[in-house]
Amino acid sequence: MKALLLQGLTGDQLAYQDFLGTLALHVRAFLRSRLSRRPAEIEDMVQDVLLAVHNARHTYQPQQPLTAWVQAIARYKLADHLRSVSRRDARHDVLDDDAQLFAVSEVESAEASRDLTKLLKQLPERQRLPIVHVKLEGLSVEETAQLTGLSSSAVKVGIHRGLKALSRLIGGANNHED
């Protein structure tokens, strides 16, 4: 989908239409699980999200993960919709499982994984390795310390600093203006 969006941003109307059509499928699945008590509102919300993506397309940065960018827009539109419908009826748990937005497609999962890999490559080894081994591979701090030659303390510090750096990288990509 990212390739289609990027082609669309350069003027390829067919690629952009394909992007919006594919995105609509993901957004519809995301909203269907969250608006199960309000099925009549799903299609209107799909259109609202697609329109918001279209209106914000100039803010998308190619180095930014597409999934995170779209997810932020979709969650904002859903929260806004639920607030406007009724605070009393809005279920707060509909916003909790945001990972399901792109769970429909393994291709999107692969894109998200690739995006994470790109972000991790920007970190120094003392931050990247502890995150990969502990957070992604599930090794203990002690196992990671033995594997990397760092102290357990350095592994913990590396994870903490690395996650903060990743947050800044993602936040910085979301805050750039063209």
Side-chain angles (χ1 to χ4, degrees), residues 21-149:
T22 303
L23 181 60
L25 296 173
H26 293 288
V27 170
R28 192 171 289 113
F30 172 74
L31 294 172
R32 194 175 291 131
S33 68
R34 284 152 181 82
L35 294 173
S36 60
R37 293 186 180 181
R38 303 175 180 278
E41 298 170 8
I42 294 172
E43 285 306 312
D44 287 342
M45 280 300 306
V46 169
Q47 296 306 313
D48 284 349
V49 171
L50 292 178
L51 183 60
V53 167
H54 174 74
N55 288 337
R57 70 190 183 281
H58 68 281
T59 67
Y60 180 71
Q61 300 291 317
Q63 71 277 11
Q64 174 181 8
L66 177 64
T67 53
W69 182 73
V70 171
Q71 190 175 83
I73 293 170
R75 291 185 74 212
Y76 172 80
K77 294 305 278 182
L78 178 61
D80 191 43
H81 173 74
L82 291 175
R83 272 192 304 273
S84 70
V85 169
S86 169
R87 291 186 187 273
R88 180 180 38 85
D89 292 341
R91 288 187 8 196
H92 298 290
D93 61 335
V94 296
L95 298 176
D96 290 341
D97 191 10
D98 53 350
Q100 288 183 4
L101 175 58
F102 290 97
V104 180
S105 168
E106 288 185 31
V107 172
E108 296 304 320
S109 176
E111 283 186 5
S113 178
R114 189 185 68 238
D115 291 340
L116 177 59
T117 300
K118 285 181 182 178
L119 288 170
L120 284 169
K121 284 182 180 178
Q122 296 179 45
L123 297 179
E125 188 173 279
R126 290 180 63 88
Q127 294 174 2
R128 181 179 64 253
L129 291 179
I131 290 173
V132 169
H133 293 309
V134 175
K135 297 296 185 182
L136 300 178
E137 296 175 353
L139 296 178
S140 70
V141 170
E142 290 74 26
E143 290 171 319
T144 301
Q146 289 176 349
L147 185 64
T148 60

